[in-house]
Amino acid sequence: MSDNYNSATYDYIVVGSGAGGGTVAARLAEKGRKVLVLEAGGDPKKLQGDNLAFPGEKRLPDDYDVPVFHPFSTENEAMRWDFFVRHYETESLQALDPKYTPTEKGVLYPRAGCLGGCTAHNAMITVYPHNADWDDVAKLTGDASWNADNMRKYFEGMEYCQHRPILRKLATWLGINPSRHGFNGWFQTEAALPLEALAKDKKLVAAILESAAKVAGTLPNFFERLKWQIEGLADPNDWRLVKENATGLRYPPLATQNGSRHSTRERLLVVQQKHPDNLTIELDALVTKVILDENNRAVGVEYLKGAKLYKAHANPSIKPGEPRKVYAAKEVILAGGAYNTPQLLMLSGIGPKEELQKHGIPVKHHLPGVGTNLQDRYEVGVVNKMNQDWEVLKGAKYAPGDPQYNEWKNENKGVYTTNGAVLAVIKKSFEERPLPDLFCFALLGNFRGYFPGYSKLIKEGLNYLTWAVLKAHTINRAGEVRLVSSDPRDRPYINFRYFEEGSDVEGQDLDSVVEGVKFVRRITKPLFEQGILTEEVAPGKDLQTDEQIRDFVRYNAWGHHASCTCPIGADNDPMAVLDSKFRVRGIQGLRVVDASVFPKIPGFFIVSSVYMIGEKAADVILNG
């Protein structure tokens, strides 16, 4: 084994190609290191598969490329990995969720098994985290490189901001950049919904904006909000707003390039084309184990070569796959995400010894924190029916040939260049909360969470307006990922332990979501009075008391930002899996760079933070 290690073709092996893995791999290769990326899925733009909302139609690459098709991309069998997670241990509680799938004993949690990972199917929303999210890691670890000011440098270095043109000129011509946006990076960001895309619904949009602005205008700190609006122009990622934990009306920036999805898939392929000798991408490679030498140093990985081998795949293969091994001269970097990284660590003998012994896995290193600390947001949808279809969606089939598709394809504009989000309000659920914790955003469509076939509601919901309530900075830390067997093709057991079953003993998370529902109802009230909205489909007019809304939230909430299962922590914390340099404690030559590394889930939408840690990890490795 040592001979293989010494003659390894690659400096680094990166397992996974999502926001963390794709970013760190590309940066290392750019800087002259020889990198192998192992991805369990294929290239989403070269695959074909059936779609639950469009049976019999071949929807790729459009399901990948067209931003508004993102719900359909999550249900395209070519790239879809379906996890079914528990929100509650108690079956009677779990069964009250209308999204519950009894045959799978869980609630659908879509993931993407393909080049680009979940950046290939997400809603592309790019909202910067709060500075406290970074400062807390710096305090926890004593590593000042995690402080907010330093972390912003990684965002500036990777961003290619296209939605603040005047600031771009100031930065480019005069070197003045108070917003601290990046204007020369690889990660392109654009405005989610240019107003011209909604020109046909001008009166309707004006009414929604007016009602939202009126209610948002009742929030505290009027003069601060006025200043933020003037400085930031509703941009949530402007540094001046970030550092003051600003609240108010915002637009959601998107990770798109000329109106098409832009993910780590493109990042990796561009770098591979520029540096073919440095970056190798192997698809259809399911990593099953980290190879450790006699000194507990990671020297390589074992994997199975073959398509659709992981059982989360929508249509998993029954073939066994070809066993292979590959070695790294320097390090192995795991970036499989909050579910698969702890699963792979445990399969490799790294994790809670009781869990490993239960499945007959030899214990290489007892690390009790692996798979614990699972966290997520809570989201619910306040779904409203309108008195007419959206004009901008008139004739929309969400398919090639419809008017909106032709506008997207031929002119790079229109509603299909967006993800369906109209606007957002950032606020505190209660004034005593330390940070703004609610991101309430209006969507064109009928969205109430994930279940098999959910995207059909989007396809058919041309006369719906959904206000999604996202609760950030959740307190619950009680979720876990555990093995169901020693078979690396099996999906793990995942339980988030929502609300009363979790660690939020005072129920603050639940109270905050309830407050969010009440807040967006205040926004929609004038729209009902004007006859624009005709019916609240969910929660529904019969659910009005706080306790009724609490029950609605308990049994209808969902999440889509799983994280924190291999947390960075202090040296004296026995549950810390990683140190501040992403290194797995007790193992040499092994790091984790994905959503599992956070001690607490950061910000509102986690993907921007994961991209940033990818850049930071590359920096740490290159300067280590």
Side-chain angles (χ1 to χ4, degrees):
M1 185 178 293
S2 58
D3 289 340
N4 284 318
Y5 160 64
N6 290 329
S7 62
T9 308
Y10 308 101
D11 296 323
Y12 299 93
I13 297 170
V14 179
V15 180
S17 63
T23 301
V24 70
R27 186 65 74 189
L28 290 174
E30 273 187 337
K31 296 297 183 180
R33 308 308 188 266
K34 294 194 180 302
V35 182
L36 170 66
V37 174
L38 294 174
E39 167 55 53
D43 184 339
K45 294 189 69 166
K46 295 179 180 177
L47 297 170
Q48 287 298 333
D50 209 347
N51 192 296
L52 290 179
F54 300 89
E57 296 183 24
K58 300 307 178 188
R59 297 275 304 180
L60 287 170
D62 285 337
D63 275 356
Y64 175 90
D65 283 329
V66 184
V68 87
F69 288 4
H70 67 89
F72 312 120
S73 70
T74 66
E75 299 216 279
N76 191 305
E77 70 170 20
M79 56 193 286
R80 164 178 131 226
W81 277 14
D82 291 343
F83 290 88
F84 287 87
V85 306
R86 303 287 298 190
H87 291 169
Y88 297 100
E89 190 83 46
T90 308
E91 184 66 21
S92 58
L93 283 177
Q94 184 63 83
L96 291 170
D97 189 336
K99 303 183 297 300
Y100 181 54
T101 304
T103 53
E104 297 281 358
K105 293 288 184 186
V107 178
L108 176 65
Y109 204 114
R111 302 274 83 183
C114 61
L115 186 61
C118 289
T119 68
H121 80 171
N122 68 358
M124 296 152 287
I125 296 177
T126 305
V127 176
Y128 195 82
H130 290 108
N131 282 348
D133 294 317
W134 302 123
D135 288 338
D136 286 349
V137 180
K139 290 173 192 169
L140 181 70
T141 61
D143 184 344
S145 71
W146 282 93
N147 72 54
D149 186 65
N150 189 59
M151 290 302 296
R152 183 70 180 196
K153 295 173 186 174
Y154 295 113
F155 185 76
E156 289 179 77
M158 74 183 193
E159 190 187 21
Y160 183 60
C161 176
Q162 290 288 293
H163 56 93
R164 300 295 300 275
I166 294 173
L167 290 177
R168 165 183 284 281
K169 289 176 181 176
L170 274 174
T172 305
W173 296 350
L174 301 175
I176 299 171
N177 187 12
S179 72
R180 294 191 68 179
H181 272 294
F183 298 105
N184 296 297
W186 61 269
F187 178 69
Q188 185 155 325
T189 55
E190 299 176 326
L193 200 57
L195 288 179
E196 63 267 21
L198 291 172
K200 294 176 183 175
D201 291 289
K202 193 173 181 181
K203 289 183 180 178
L204 174 57
V205 173
I208 295 170
L209 274 168
E210 184 181 352
S211 65
K214 191 172 182 179
V215 176
T218 66
L219 297 176
N221 310 314
F222 172 79
F223 290 107
E224 286 91 339
R225 283 188 289 104
L226 183 62
K227 176 173 77 86
W228 296 331
Q229 208 67 24
I230 293 168
E231 286 179 342
L233 299 177
D235 168 14
N237 298 336
D238 190 302
W239 177 249
R240 293 164 292 186
L241 276 60
V242 170
K243 68 182 181 181
E244 295 187 25
N245 299 321
T247 57
L249 277 174
R250 301 288 181 270
Y251 63 83
L254 295 189
T256 53
Q257 189 172 58
N258 302 322
S260 295
R261 177 184 295 278
H262 183 253
S263 79
T264 48
R265 175 193 178 275
E266 284 69 40
R267 169 68 169 148
L268 285 165
L269 293 177
V270 166
V271 172
Q272 186 184 47
Q273 187 176 24
K274 288 182 179 177
H275 306 279
D277 294 337
N278 292 346
L279 182 59
T280 303
I281 302 169
E282 185 169 353
L283 304 177
D284 298 326
L286 176 66
V287 176
T288 58
K289 187 178 181 181
V290 177
I291 301 170
L292 303 175
D293 69 11
E294 59 275 8
N295 298 313
N296 264 6
R297 177 180 179 83
V299 296
V301 297
E302 298 179 7
Y303 65 103
L304 294 174
K305 180 67 174 177
K308 307 178 184 179
L309 294 177
Y310 194 58
K311 290 180 184 176
H313 195 284
N315 183 26
S317 172
I318 59 170
K319 295 178 181 176
E322 177 195 339
R324 293 185 182 178
K325 294 181 182 181
V326 65
Y327 294 91
K330 293 185 178 177
E331 291 184 358
V332 174
I333 300 168
L334 305 185
Y339 301 155
N340 292 103
T341 290
Q343 180 184 19
L344 183 53
L345 283 171
M346 288 186 277
L347 290 169
S348 307
I350 305 163
K353 62 183 178 184
E354 303 83 3
E355 180 74 9
L356 306 181
Q357 290 166 348
K358 183 165 60 173
H359 299 288
I361 299 170
V363 179
K364 297 286 188 177
H365 182 59
H366 173 55
L367 204 54
V370 172
T372 67
N373 195 49
L374 173 63
Q375 297 169 39
D376 208 335
R377 318 276 180 241
Y378 294 114
E379 294 184 52
V380 294
V382 178
V383 183
N384 303 283
K385 207 167 187 178
M386 304 187 341
N387 66 0
Q388 63 183 53
D389 288 357
W390 289 91
E391 278 292 321
V392 75
L393 292 176
K394 192 172 184 178
K397 305 292 184 188
Y398 292 106
D402 74 20
Q404 295 83 355
Y405 182 91
N406 291 336
E407 192 177 21
W408 170 82
K409 185 77 170 175
N410 300 326
E411 303 175 56
N412 291 334
K413 67 179 189 178
V415 71
Y416 280 11
T417 67
T418 80
N419 69 345
V422 182
L423 77 157
V425 180
I426 293 174
K427 71 182 293 284
K428 287 185 177 183
S429 55
F430 297 97
E431 269 310 291
E432 60 266 28
R433 298 290 188 256
L435 293 168
D437 62 325
L438 291 181
F439 191 94
C440 305
F441 54 114
L443 301 165
L444 285 69
N446 178 359
F447 182 53
R448 53 187 82 185
Y450 302 101
F451 54 89
Y454 85 95
S455 64
K456 292 176 187 174
L457 295 182
I458 309 291
K459 176 185 175 185
E460 297 161 2
L462 304 184
N463 63 330
Y464 283 83
L465 172 69
T466 297
W467 271 94
V469 176
L470 182 150
K471 158 62 183 160
H473 301 297
T474 46
I475 293 170
N476 185 21
R477 312 270 186 270
E480 67 174 354
V481 175
R482 289 287 174 256
L483 299 177
V484 298
S485 78
S486 59
D487 184 347
R489 298 175 67 172
D490 279 343
R491 294 172 291 193
Y493 171 80
I494 302 158
N495 191 340
F496 284 93
R497 297 198 172 89
Y498 273 17
F499 302 118
E500 283 86 349
E501 284 197 354
S503 57
D504 176 20
V505 293
E506 295 180 359
Q508 290 187 31
D509 289 341
L510 183 55
D511 289 344
S512 293
V513 184
V514 170
E515 187 59 29
V517 171
K518 292 160 70 174
F519 175 75
V520 299
R521 277 179 160 177
R522 293 202 295 275
I523 293 175
T524 58
K525 185 179 178 184
L527 303 178
F528 279 102
E529 293 169 350
Q530 296 170 50
I532 293 170
L533 302 180
T534 60
E535 178 189 1
E536 184 184 276
V537 179
K541 65 179 180 180
D542 294 334
L543 304 184
Q544 294 295 329
T545 69
D546 282 8
E547 198 48 51
Q548 287 173 328
I549 301 172
R550 277 193 188 92
D551 276 346
F552 170 78
V553 172
R554 280 186 184 102
Y555 309 129
N556 288 271
W558 71 88
H560 198 49
H561 302 113
S563 57
C564 307
T565 50
C566 298
I568 291 169
D571 291 343
N572 61 357
D573 181 359
M575 300 304 285
V577 175
L578 309 175
D579 68 10
S580 69
K581 298 182 185 298
F582 307 94
R583 295 177 297 205
V584 176
R585 293 182 179 276
I587 305 291
Q588 299 176 61
L590 184 63
R591 299 190 208 233
V592 174
V593 185
D594 61 26
S596 68
V597 310
F598 300 107
K600 294 188 296 187
I601 184 169
F604 294 111
F605 295 88
I606 194 172
V607 69
S608 61
S609 300
V610 182
Y611 280 122
M612 288 169 67
I613 63 160
E615 293 288 359
K616 178 172 175 53
D619 190 31
V620 167
I621 292 166
L622 291 165
N623 293 298

